[in-house]
Amino acid sequence: MNRSFHWRTRTAVAAITAVAVGVIAGCSSSSSSSSSSAASSAAASSTASSSAPATSSSAAAGTVTTSACGTKPGVAATGTPINLGAINTKQPGTDFSDIENMTGAYFACVNANGGINGHPIKYFPLTEQTSPSQIASLAKQLVTSDHVVGVVGSSSIIECSVDAAYWKSVGIDVLGAGIDPECYSTPNTASVNMGPRYSSDGAVQYVLAQGASKIAFDQSNVPGTGYIAAGPNALAKAKGVSIQDFTENVPITSANAIATKLVTAAGPSGAVVLNFTPPEALLILQAAQKLNLEDRVKYWACSTPCNTDFLATSLGPKWNDKLFVNAELTPLDGNTSATAQLFDAILKQYGSDVSGGVGSFSEMGFTIGEIATHALESITGPYTIASVSAALKAVSNYNTGMLCQGYTYGNYPEHIPNNMDYTVTPDNGKFVQASSGGGCTLISADDPQIAAYRAVAGTAPAAS
């Protein structure tokens, strides 16, 4: 990828070993962030060559260690804490807590290596069960009881819609991994991910490009299914391809019936596209395999949550080059970039609460921590809600080493800063970049929401 190494990480690595600098020259990476205390352009079809094929990270080379997290390797931050918080959905059938847990791991690494100008980040990661009153209460708790100056790492089915007005009223600009429409259509929230709509766009766009003649699109029966399905339907309609929508109650209890229904709907030249968390998608895919249905359609595809080694390992080699998953962040298996190595090191040393291990959720958490740290380092005065929000909004074309595009928060009425992605496929228990059309590809502007965002923010170039 030849992405430039963030100055802070580069300095820290130089302090580790001169050999390390020689090895990582020309690789991608970025800086780090704080601690975890309270809980521990062109057309949409255009592609940009992407780097390392694959998804579980590789620290085998051992070049970058957690000492690279800060400007003072091995020196714990002892200054006045910078309080940050997050709210994630965690309930049966839907669990996004790996995102805030990996953000907390990133912060813990930063705190152990100098912090933010000597200040540790005190992190308050909270979980909710899609209850609006509970979510609203947690948001006020973060501000009035935990005295946070920023909200980073949130990922929830409905939190953006519940709290958007409140965050605006107190001046907080949120950095998260969005799900519901308000995470992308409001001025004070920006995400590192595409969310279920645009991620499903990517999966549908891929199978359309490969020649699928019909699509069966299935997703969890949770709030927002109509909003999510609208994107894939717009893409299919633009290409003149029939698409049929389904929803399923989760946790799934009838995987065999679901798999049979979807295969029948897609037909032999069509594609089944799933939008579920990994355990639920796995049930459907394993049912298809048990019933010998996996070859009864031309393609199987999945939105980003399926991009986890847990799912690839559980499926086994029979699904090699048969399932195609939208990957909103850099494939890590076999990737020896500095970013991938730092991810590995942080996950191993600080990520004991990241239950899903290597995957899109943990990558999102890492990237949120990275961007938040970059923003916090730019603040020269007191760390306040106003200064932290201003620093986040000022992030522009920042090369994370994880995203296809430079990341810009910006002062826009809406935010979809990640709208270019990879496609990965299983390869003997790991996910690797698909050999055909798997490189960085712009999400199609046939989705009217993508078109509207690009009209105000432009199209960020591929990171290089």
Side-chain angles (χ1 to χ4, degrees):
M1 283 184 198
N2 294 323
R3 292 172 177 158
S4 60
F5 209 17
H6 185 284
W7 74 266
R8 196 160 83 108
T9 306
R10 181 173 60 234
T11 301
V13 172
I16 298 169
T17 166
V19 175
V21 175
V23 173
I24 61 178
C27 292
S28 70
S29 177
S30 161
S31 95
S32 38
S33 175
S34 2
S35 114
S36 153
S37 99
S40 317
S41 67
S45 59
S46 70
T47 59
S49 62
S50 64
S51 80
T55 16
S56 161
S57 86
S58 165
T63 302
V64 179
T65 72
T66 54
S67 295
C69 283
T71 54
K72 295 183 178 180
V75 178
T78 58
T80 306
I82 303 169
N83 292 354
L84 301 176
I87 301 173
N88 280 214
T89 299
K90 182 178 175 66
Q91 62 190 26
T94 307
D95 184 355
F96 302 133
S97 62
D98 269 359
I99 295 171
E100 63 183 5
N101 289 339
M102 188 63 184
T103 299
Y106 194 101
F107 291 161
C109 186
V110 172
N111 287 350
N113 294 280
I116 305 295
N117 300 318
H119 296 275
I121 292 178
K122 187 174 183 180
Y123 197 44
F124 297 84
L126 306 176
T127 59
E128 50 79 17
Q129 292 75 49
T130 57
S131 164
S133 60
Q134 177 198 26
I135 292 169
S137 176
L138 291 175
K140 290 177 182 175
Q141 173 188 319
L142 286 174
V143 173
T144 62
S145 299
D146 300 324
H147 304 293
V148 301
V149 293
V151 175
V152 299
S154 287
S155 186
S156 164
I157 295 173
I158 61 172
E159 190 276 329
C160 287
S161 61
V162 172
D163 290 334
Y166 177 68
W167 297 136
K168 184 177 181 180
S169 73
V170 296
I172 286 179
D173 289 279
V174 178
L175 174 66
I179 307 295
D180 49 333
E182 288 78 4
C183 300
Y184 302 92
S185 61
T186 53
N188 64 310
T189 297
S191 297
V192 302
N193 66 325
M194 295 179 183
R197 173 166 174 159
Y198 311 117
S199 174
S200 295
D201 281 358
V204 167
Q205 180 174 322
Y206 183 82
V207 297
L208 287 171
Q210 300 305 307
S213 62
K214 189 176 181 181
I215 295 170
F217 177 64
D218 202 2
Q219 59 179 320
S220 302
N221 185 21
V222 297
T225 55
Y227 153 76
I228 294 167
N233 277 259
L235 267 63
K237 181 179 179 180
K239 294 294 184 288
V241 173
S242 173
I243 183 170
Q244 189 171 357
D245 299 326
F246 301 89
T247 60
E248 314 297 342
N249 293 330
V250 292
I252 286 173
T253 58
S254 54
N256 287 357
I258 293 169
T260 301
K261 171 183 68 178
L262 295 175
V263 166
T264 301
S269 61
V272 173
V273 179
L274 305 175
N275 177 42
F276 294 90
T277 57
E280 306 306 309
L282 179 62
L283 289 174
I284 297 172
L285 295 168
Q286 287 180 325
Q289 183 171 330
K290 182 176 74 174
L291 298 172
N292 295 313
L293 298 176
E294 69 272 17
D295 291 322
R296 293 274 300 276
V297 296
K298 193 170 184 180
Y299 300 104
W300 293 82
C302 197
S303 60
T304 297
C306 289
N307 180 25
T308 168
D309 283 355
F310 151 74
L311 187 138
T313 301
S314 300
L315 286 176
K318 198 166 186 179
W319 288 87
N320 288 359
D321 208 33
K322 186 169 295 185
L323 170 68
F324 298 92
V325 180
N326 173 276
E328 302 169 13
L329 301 100
T330 300
L332 291 179
D333 284 323
N335 186 337
T336 58
S337 72
T339 298
Q341 291 182 50
L342 183 59
F343 172 95
D344 245 353
I346 291 174
L347 181 63
K348 289 176 180 176
Q349 186 167 344
Y350 298 102
S352 60
D353 291 334
V354 182
S355 60
V358 177
S360 288
F361 286 176
S362 52
E363 284 191 76
M364 291 173 195
F366 176 98
T367 304
I368 290 167
E370 177 186 29
I371 295 170
T373 296
H374 169 69
L376 291 171
E377 289 175 335
S378 71
I379 297 172
T380 56
Y383 298 96
T384 65
I385 287 177
S387 67
V388 170
S389 289
L392 286 172
K393 294 186 84 165
V395 173
S396 179
N397 200 29
Y398 178 65
N399 193 338
T400 66
M402 281 288 190
L403 303 179
C404 281
Q405 297 164 293
Y407 187 87
T408 296
Y409 196 123
N411 189 24
Y412 302 124
E414 54 198 88
H415 293 90
I416 316 174
N418 181 357
N419 55 83
M420 180 189 287
D421 72 342
Y422 303 88
T423 298
V424 296
T425 186
D427 180 19
N428 298 317
K430 303 290 185 182
F431 270 109
V432 302
Q433 186 175 299
S435 58
S436 174
C440 288
T441 303
L442 286 170
I443 297 298
S444 174
D446 288 335
D447 184 326
Q449 300 292 341
I450 294 290
Y453 173 73
R454 290 188 182 139
V456 297
T459 302
S464 58

